[in-house]
């Protein structure tokens, strides 16, 4: 199991039952990012329900905005109106940007949106989420993003981007589609979980290439390359694994 805190992203499509949130808690999830606004859709009613159910399950709750950046100021205004209603237990917020493919000024639009939100939320309390695909296609220059960065991947390999604070991936929980994430640097828990600086890791019983990559914050293909290994090879307890 990873040493890092786990989070989940909830939208209007996510089950809002106590059973679902109990299953998330069983998987070690301690924080729910609850979508309160998505471009052209008001998620606040569903978001309020998710926030209450998540709190009853023992999670802290944070507000999330999902934007296509088509109308950044409109999205930011709707989001900030929703978060002032006091439903959430944390002042920290997440902004997930999913730009339309034809947008050539996605970076400028995102910065405009962040500037608006930062009038209501401290810059240090904003988490900016981008998909790995958008980063690879250079829709955004992550060096220009001063806030904490969350990378959204479709698979369960880690993001492979050094400055990633949170890595969010798609999976299933209790047979339902879900997004879970690892909070590498304790953004939501306010705890320092700095990645190890050791160059080697001693394999423990039950370890696999996937669990080691996850716990050490290393892109799985890079870990395999460092060790001249194949994914199908078993990891033996006591084995010295290169991680740098």
């Amino acid at each position: 199991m990873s040493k890092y805190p786990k989070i989940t992203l909830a939208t209007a499509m996510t089950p809002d039952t106590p059973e679902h949130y109990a299953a998330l808690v069983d998987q070690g999830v301690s924080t729910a990012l609850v979508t309160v606004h998505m471009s052209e859709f008001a998620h606040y009613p569903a978001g309020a329900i998710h926030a209450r159910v998540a709190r009853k399950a023992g999670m802290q709750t944070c507000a999330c905005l999902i934007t296509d950046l088509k109308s950044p100021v409109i999205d930011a205004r709707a989001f900030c109106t929703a978060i002032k209603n006091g439903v959430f237990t944390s002042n920290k917020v997440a902004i997930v940007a999913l730009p339309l493919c034809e947008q050539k000024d996605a970076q400028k639009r995102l910065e405009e949106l962040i500037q608006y939100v930062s009038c209501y939320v401290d810059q240090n309390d904003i988490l900016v989420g981008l998909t790995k695909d958008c980063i690879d296609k250079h829709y955004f220059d992550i060096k220009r993003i001063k806030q904490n960065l969350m990378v959204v991947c479709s698979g369960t390999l880690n993001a492979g981007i050094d400055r990633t604070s949170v890595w969010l991936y798609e999976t299933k929980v209790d047979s339902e589609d879900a997004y879970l994430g690892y909070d590498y640097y304790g953004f939501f828990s306010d705890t320092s979980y700095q990645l190890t600086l050791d160059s080697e890791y001693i394999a423990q019983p039950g370890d696999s290439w996937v669990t080691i990559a996850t716990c050490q914050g290393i892109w799985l293909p890079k870990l395999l390359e460092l060790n001249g290994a194949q994914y199908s090879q078993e990891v033996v307890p006591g084995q010295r694994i290169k991680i740098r």
Side-chain angles (χ1 to χ4, degrees):
M1 180 177 291
S2 171
K3 63 183 178 182
Y4 305 110
K6 271 188 174 182
I7 66 169
T8 187
L9 172 65
T11 70
M13 301 298 292
T14 305
D16 59 8
T17 63
E19 292 77 14
H20 179 71
Y21 278 93
L24 290 169
V25 170
D26 287 344
Q27 292 211 15
V29 177
S30 57
T31 299
L33 307 185
V34 179
T35 305
V36 295
H37 183 77
M38 179 183 290
S39 295
E40 300 183 11
F41 296 96
H43 272 51
Y44 180 74
I49 294 172
H50 278 281
R52 286 193 291 268
V53 176
R55 285 207 310 270
K56 287 183 179 179
M59 295 184 191
Q60 74 164 332
T61 53
C62 306
C64 179
L65 163 64
I66 300 178
T67 174
D68 59 13
L69 296 177
K70 184 178 179 181
S71 303
V73 173
I74 292 175
D75 284 344
R77 185 182 299 123
F79 178 64
C80 291
T81 298
I83 64 177
K84 289 189 292 185
N85 288 313
V87 174
F88 301 95
T89 58
S90 173
N91 291 327
K92 295 182 177 180
V93 302
I95 298 170
V96 179
L98 304 173
L100 302 174
C101 60
E102 67 270 16
Q103 287 177 350
K104 303 300 182 184
D105 57 350
Q107 182 86 33
K108 179 181 177 182
R109 289 169 179 263
L110 176 61
E111 290 171 355
E112 182 180 3
L113 187 150
I114 292 172
Q115 183 177 11
Y116 189 105
V117 173
S118 64
C119 293
Y120 298 87
V121 180
D122 189 282
Q123 289 265 3
N124 293 325
D125 289 337
I126 298 174
L127 180 72
V128 176
L130 306 174
T131 67
K132 181 71 160 52
D133 184 58
C134 283
I135 294 173
D136 290 342
K137 291 180 178 178
H138 304 291
Y139 288 178
F140 301 99
D141 179 0
I142 61 174
K143 293 180 180 178
R144 289 173 55 184
I145 296 174
K146 306 303 181 185
Q147 292 72 26
N148 288 273
L149 179 66
M150 174 170 68
V151 177
V152 184
C153 300
S154 58
T156 55
L157 299 180
N158 79 18
I161 297 173
D162 289 341
R163 59 158 296 193
T164 302
S165 295
V166 177
W167 156 49
L168 198 68
Y169 61 92
E170 192 173 5
T171 185
K172 284 186 178 293
V173 174
D174 198 24
S175 76
E176 299 285 354
D177 291 338
Y179 275 97
L180 299 185
Y182 288 104
D183 186 4
Y184 284 141
Y185 292 101
F187 176 75
F188 294 105
S189 63
D190 293 320
T191 302
S192 177
Y193 287 87
Q194 296 295 330
L195 303 183
T196 178
L197 297 178
D198 295 337
S199 60
E200 288 188 335
Y201 168 78
I202 307 300
Q204 304 298 309
D207 272 341
S208 68
W209 295 111
V210 172
T211 61
I212 294 171
T214 298
C215 289
Q216 300 300 326
I218 305 171
W219 192 34
L220 179 57
K222 180 65 175 178
L223 179 66
L224 294 172
E225 179 185 343
L226 282 172
N227 291 275
Q230 299 293 322
Y231 179 78
S232 58
Q233 290 179 267
E234 289 189 8
V235 175
V236 179
Q239 181 177 348
R240 292 183 175 273
I241 307 295
K242 294 179 181 178
I243 56 176
R244 291 286 183 273

